[in-house]
Amino acid sequence: MIIETKRLKIYPAAQEQMEAFIAAEADAELKKAYAEMLEGCLRHPEQWQWYAMWMIELRDGTHIGDLCFKGLEANGMAEIGYGILEEYQGQGYATEAVGATVIWALKQPDVACVEAETAPDNRASQRVLEKCGFLPSGTVGEEGPRFYKSING
């Protein structure tokens, strides 16, 4: 499955791609997060897309970032996380990728809402969520304020 936008291709990584990213990642925190994603995929292969690292590529195949869902809760909530490589930030790629992927997610059976959490000082990420139609939930998670977008708006 591939989500295509005007400038991007976004798709869930295969096991081999995820293993390669884990092996190549120097940042211990990201390495751990990628390993947890792969573990979730292997535990829930029927829900691969809800645990996998999703590749964000330019149409020519250049890797510019990734995103992920953190599973699909029984109540229909899927949490999204995302990141764009520094040299590609500030060009609207995060907004384009998150927007298209959230539209896809909200069309899936059993999905009622997509949530995201940002660091309180990460104004760029908060702007991405605002541009994609997310609203503040009024709650604060481990990383900071939480935002949501539901099938009702």
Side-chain angles (χ1 to χ4, degrees), residues 86-151:
E86 192 171 339
E87 60 266 34
Y88 296 99
Q89 291 177 3
Q91 300 175 53
Y93 292 126
T95 301
E96 191 171 330
V98 170
T101 307
V102 168
I103 288 169
W104 170 86
L106 290 173
K107 290 179 180 176
Q108 303 310 302
D110 303 323
V111 177
C113 166
V114 177
E115 292 190 9
E117 192 171 289
T118 66
D121 60 346
N122 191 342
R123 188 67 192 126
S125 185
Q126 292 171 23
R127 280 293 298 140
V128 166
L129 296 173
E130 289 167 8
K131 289 184 210 172
C132 291
F134 280 75
L135 299 170
S137 70
T139 61
V140 177
E142 288 179 27
E143 297 171 26
R146 293 189 63 83
F147 297 81
Y148 75 96
K149 182 171 182 170
S150 68
I151 56 174

Side-chain angles (χ1 to χ4, degrees), residues 5 20 23-24 37 46 54 66 73 76-77 102 105 107 113 124 127 136 142:
T5 68
M37 288 177 213
E46 73 289 352
W54 287 57
D66 55 76
E73 303 287 328
M77 191 276 288
V102 168
K107 290 179 180 176
C113 166
R127 280 293 298 140
E142 288 179 27

